[in-house]
Each structure stands twice: as structure tokens, then as C-alpha cells.
Amino acid sequence: MKAIAIQTFGGPEGLAVVDLPVPTPAAGQVLIAVEAVGVGGVDTVIRSGALAAYGFKEGFIPGGEVAGTVTTVGDRVDASWIGQRVWGFTGTGGGYVEQAVAPIEQILPLPSSLSAVAAVTLGSAGAVAHFGLRHAHFAPGETVLVRGAAGSIGIMAVQLAARGGAAAVAVTTSSAERGERLRRLGATHVLDRSGHGEKEAPVGYDVIIDIVAGKDMPSFFDRLNPNGRIVAVGAVAGRPPADFGTKIMAAFQKSMSFAAFSAATVAQADLRAVRSEHFAAASRGEIETVVHEALPLDKAVLAHQKMAAGEVFGRIVLTP
């Protein structure tokens, strides 16, 4: 079968098409004939080599989110799964393939009206946005800022905050055109990347969902209300400065807080429930899945180039 491997750490050109044997699912696993693969920010970070110290090596197959049809099951898996359309999480990698293996506890059946492309746009991003807002203790009537809202996580955070009764949902993004698209998804105010740009926007926010992090993250503590919370759910711009916590201490009387959030800390049963809810809502048209572009699997280099250039609004998807 065809797969995409990281032959050389660095830029997108380090990705290459390779031939691999079709895997055999072990006990507790299923084999999925893949129809769609979500391209995520973590894939680009792994490809760059930035996580090599954590055990990632050249030859690694990136991708963690797939959708398709179960063709084979391993021991201790009910054979009734065969033939079912599913969303599946393969882990930190193993998804850029024509046929993927996933643990049975990491697959979910898909509504008949939800496409595989839509499923991989929503499955992981929706869960991160949902539990990120929960981690921030977001409540109806509060003001929310989504920093870096044009990606799949940000788009879901905007929609979920708006559906959850936020008094305002501001976004930071790179262009007016993207801002208008985010307004149609529930944003009430559009700001530039520094968090400024609309006189009518709230001066402060109760919750900031940050997908960007990076060197400019500390400046957003200045945008928090008393008792405000920043939750970092991603770090597409890299880690913040080591001394970013001094901002919190300097404004001690505002009782501000910062937290990082990873879906890896959420119980599987809770993840499954939320993902199932999101898939059903999307199939009813209540949540919009925003797909930037679907490309063939062998165009993975182009997909990563588009990610690196900041061209992607929503999710870019590979289709084996």
C-alpha cells in the first residue's frame, strides 16, 4: 500500500511516498480502508524534527486522524464492525496511509450523511475546542477571544463558544477576508494578530483560547478581565518565552490564570460522547465543517507547503 513517510526532518520536501505491506490488526484493533486523512499542526511539527528528542525518527508515518471503512478486525473485536464507516484515531502517527490500524476504543461509527472528509475535519478539532472551553470554565454570558481562529480547532472554538451563549466571540486572524468567514461562523469581532483592530471589541476577555502560543503570547495577559483565563490548546508558533508567568505575577490583584490543555488527559468515554455528539450535529447541519482543500495522498508535500505558507482556512485533508 502507499504511505507517506518523513524521509528527512525539515521542510515539507522531506516527505515521500513509500510502499509498505498492508498491516494486520492485532488483538483489539481494526483495519480501516482510508478515505480521508486529517492534516494537523502536530504533523508539521513532527515533520520539522522539533520533537526528535521525544523519540520521533526519520521514517515515521505522520497523521493521527482517519475515516473510512473497516475491512478486517483483530482478535477480541466484534466482526460486526466489518463494513462499517468509521472515524478513527491512530495515535501520534500512522495515518498517512491507504489502510490504517486503529484501536477499537479509538473508532466511532459515522452518520450515513457525514462524509469521511467532514469527519476528519471535526473529530479531533471539535474535541479539543470543546474540552478546551471546559478547561477554561467558560460559562454563558462571558466574553471569549480565540487566538489563531482560522484553523480547524479555532473554527470549532468559535462555533462552540457562540452556541454556548458567549456574550462576545472575538477572533485574531491574518486578513479581513478570513475575518468575514469567521463572522459567518459566529465571531462577533475580528482583530489582527496582535489582538487589536476593532474599536467596538471588548477591552478585556474572560476566556482566551490560544492555539498559537509563541513569543507574543504574554501580551495577551493584558487583554484578560479580572479572574480571566488563558488556555493554550496548541503552539503553532512555538513555545512562549520562559518568563511568561511574570505577566501573571505583575497583575497579581487581577487573579488571572494560565493553563495548557491536551485531549490526552480526557477520559476515552468522554471523548467518544462528545465526538459522537459533534458528528450528529454536523450531519444535521448544526455545526459547519470547514475544509480548505482535499488533496490526493501523494500530494502530502503540497499539503504541508500550504500549511507552512499560512494558506489554510479550516482543515486540509488527504484522500488516498
Side-chain angles (χ1 to χ4, degrees):
M1 68 171 183
K2 284 183 181 178
I4 303 298
I6 302 171
Q7 285 199 330
T8 307
F9 284 135
E13 64 281 356
L15 297 171
V17 179
V18 297
D19 287 316
L20 296 176
V22 175
T24 300
Q29 295 181 333
V30 302
L31 182 67
I32 301 168
V34 177
E35 299 170 25
V37 185
V39 178
V42 68
D43 303 342
T44 65
V45 175
I46 293 171
R47 184 217 68 228
S48 74
L51 300 180
Y54 294 91
F56 294 98
K57 298 179 180 179
E58 292 176 344
F60 183 78
I61 308 295
E65 186 171 11
V66 303
T69 302
V70 175
T71 59
T72 310
V73 300
D75 292 341
R76 301 200 305 274
V77 178
D78 194 315
S80 64
W81 280 102
I82 296 175
Q84 289 200 47
R85 295 177 63 250
V86 299
W87 173 92
F89 181 65
T90 61
T92 54
Y96 286 18
V97 294
E98 292 180 313
Q99 299 191 60
V101 169
I104 186 63
E105 63 271 14
Q106 296 279 19
I107 68 169
L108 283 171
L110 294 178
S112 59
S113 59
L114 190 69
S115 71
V117 169
V120 298
T121 302
L122 177 58
S124 290
V128 170
H130 173 92
F131 288 105
L133 285 164
R134 178 180 291 185
H135 205 65
H137 301 286
F138 163 67
E142 291 191 313
T143 53
V144 176
L145 171 63
V146 181
R147 183 175 176 232
S152 55
I153 295 173
I155 285 169
M156 281 303 302
V158 168
Q159 293 187 76
L160 295 179
R163 292 179 81 206
V169 183
V171 296
T172 70
T173 190
S174 60
S175 71
E177 185 271 334
R178 289 184 169 203
E180 287 308 307
R181 295 181 70 180
L182 288 162
R183 285 186 193 276
R184 293 194 290 272
L185 294 165
T188 57
H189 303 283
V190 177
L191 309 175
D192 62 22
R193 285 178 169 174
S194 70
H196 301 89
E198 261 193 33
K199 293 181 180 179
E200 300 81 8
V203 174
Y205 298 90
D206 301 305
V207 171
I208 297 178
I209 299 297
D210 190 347
I211 300 120
V212 182
K215 63 181 178 61
D216 295 326
M217 192 193 79
S219 68
F220 283 83
F221 284 104
D222 298 333
R223 311 303 304 278
L224 283 179
N225 289 331
N227 298 305
R229 295 86 70 193
I230 291 181
V231 174
V233 300
V236 296
R239 295 181 178 181
D243 63 349
F244 76 88
T246 58
K247 276 280 190 178
I248 299 174
M249 298 305 294
F252 194 88
Q253 291 183 320
K254 289 181 70 176
S255 299
M256 301 184 301
S257 61
F258 168 83
F261 170 75
S262 167
T265 60
V266 180
Q268 285 300 319
D270 293 338
L271 286 170
R272 291 177 66 85
V274 166
R275 285 173 174 148
S276 293
E277 178 185 331
H278 287 172
F279 290 151
S283 71
R284 296 191 299 264
E286 298 168 7
I287 290 176
E288 186 171 342
T289 56
V290 180
V291 179
H292 179 83
E293 188 175 4
L295 295 170
L297 181 65
D298 60 9
K299 297 295 184 182
V301 169
L302 178 59
H304 278 235
Q305 288 172 338
K306 289 175 179 284
M307 293 276 285
E311 297 178 12
V312 178
F313 183 88
R315 175 57 65 93
I316 197 161
V317 176
L318 298 175
T319 54

